[in-house]
Amino acid sequence: MTFKIRTLNAISHTGLSRLPKDEFEVGSDVVDPDALLLRSANLHDAEIPASVVAVARAGAGTNNIPIPAYSARGIPVFNTPGANANAVKELVVAALFLAARNIIPAAAFAHRLEGDPASMDKAVEAGKKNFVGFELPGRTLGVIGLGAIGVEVANAATALGMRVLGYDPGITVEHAWKLSSFVEHVTNLDQLLKRADIITLHVPLVDGTRGLIGADELAKLKKTAVIVNFARGPIVEEDAVVAALENGQLRAYICDFPSPALNRHDHVVTLPHLGASTNEAEDNCARMAADQLRDFLTEGTIVNSVNFPSAALARSEGTQRIAIANSNVPNMVGQISTLLAAAGLNIADLLNKSRGEVAYTIVDVEGVVPDSLVDQIRSIAGVLSARVI
């Protein structure tokens, strides 16, 4: 069987090479695709092809994908958390130095100097006092969000001699294990805002984080504080930041999201969304996304889905596998088992996992699964999708 994957953006060849040509047809013009592979393409107004059973984004954020619509169709959406973590961490560390040493305005000043060497030297000596900064050791960094990127940033900051406060009510055990013991865990966001000299944001853009830093939060900061945002622009209320800069409530804002209002302000540094813009990050994201699609299409395995539970079941020899997505309601497995028994098929192995309102079931059966049985499973109230692998 050949699986078809439609690419909606340019995807690293390093990643696409993980999809063997004898098993996968991959390209931007693929018709009736089994899966979509993308980076920044906006799917909110795009029609979902009836053939699609999976979507993968080569990146961490999925705000360009209408997750509820895909969930309702029983389609898992994959992302690649951690694949670009080092790239973003390096840029955030660079931003710490930009903030501390006023590097951007100082460089602009130096670049504008004219005249002979003697007059330029005189201007340098007269002008450098305007760019006096501070050193990072002993300063306090507040890290909001301790996922793959936040943990790396926090650990790097401790290595630079900074005191680090970490805030993340939903930190996973995996990320907690990776966090330096020198990072102080705070459970109250206000406490972090009041104590930090620099605040860096590493949370996804969802309803609960939109406008996370607004006028009320900015009012709690030290007047010398700096905010660094390489997560998503709307996590910080732009108008509130500009007002805080103008009234002296905030020292500086460094972000990856230019806008007319921000670019007009002397105490703002904007970069052109460079967070994950390295060859290494693009390769890592593409590899992870391709691997996740391959494993899902060929085995029904789910890893790093933003809307489905993780699920992996070793294949029972000599069986056919049925992968079923359904609403998380009682007696679903019982109804499926009844249909299999009526068809004379024995269950060799079964896995059922749930996440919120969605559940996912993998069933390995002995014998051949007829198309009519798959149709019967699909007809069960609450079943979103079903396929034989």
Side-chain angles (χ1 to χ4, degrees), residues 127-198:
K128 68 180 184 181
K129 64 178 178 294
N130 297 316
F131 308 105
V132 175
F134 59 88
E135 297 182 18
L136 295 178
R139 301 285 175 166
T140 299
L141 176 70
V143 182
I144 300 176
L146 294 169
I149 297 171
V151 166
E152 289 211 21
V153 169
N155 292 347
T158 63
L160 291 171
M162 300 187 75
R163 291 190 294 265
V164 181
L165 311 176
Y167 172 79
D168 190 339
I171 187 172
T172 66
V173 172
E174 176 188 2
H175 291 137
W177 274 108
K178 295 177 181 177
L179 191 64
S180 168
S181 60
F182 292 104
V183 176
E184 180 184 343
H185 181 219
V186 296
T187 58
N188 184 286
L189 181 58
D190 285 355
Q191 179 186 0
L192 181 146
L193 296 173
K194 292 175 182 177
R195 293 174 57 190
D197 297 301
I198 304 176

Side-chain angles (χ1 to χ4, degrees), residues 4 16 56 64 67 83 196 209 235 269-270 308 361 369:
K4 299 193 289 184
L16 297 182
N64 57 324
I67 305 298
T209 61
I235 293 170
V269 174
T270 60
F308 269 65
T361 305
V369 179

Side-chain angles (χ1 to χ4, degrees), residues 27 32 43 119 134 300 382:
D32 297 327
L43 297 184
S119 63
F134 59 88

Side-chain angles (χ1 to χ4, degrees), residues 225-245:
V226 175
I227 293 179
V228 175
N229 179 14
F230 285 87
R232 286 291 184 270
I235 293 170
V236 176
E237 291 184 359
E238 183 177 294
D239 292 344
V241 162
V242 171
L245 290 167

Side-chain angles (χ1 to χ4, degrees), residues 61-63 143-145 149 167 189 193 199-218 227-241 253-257 262 273:
T62 55
N63 52 303
V143 182
I144 300 176
I149 297 171
Y167 172 79
L189 181 58
L193 296 173
I199 294 166
T200 179
L201 299 154
H202 300 288
V203 295
L205 178 59
V206 296
D207 289 342
T209 61
R210 186 177 294 274
L212 179 67
I213 303 297
D216 290 343
E217 289 72 29
L218 291 167
I227 293 179
V228 175
N229 179 14
F230 285 87
R232 286 291 184 270
I235 293 170
V236 176
E237 291 184 359
E238 183 177 294
D239 292 344
V241 162
Y253 181 51
I254 301 177
C255 71
D256 220 9
F257 316 102
L262 293 177
H273 208 175

Side-chain angles (χ1 to χ4, degrees), residues 13-33:
H13 290 294
T14 301
L16 297 182
S17 68
R18 314 281 282 198
L19 302 166
K21 293 183 179 180
D22 59 339
E23 295 181 64
F24 296 89
E25 177 187 349
V26 183
S28 59
D29 56 352
V30 166
V31 178
D32 297 327

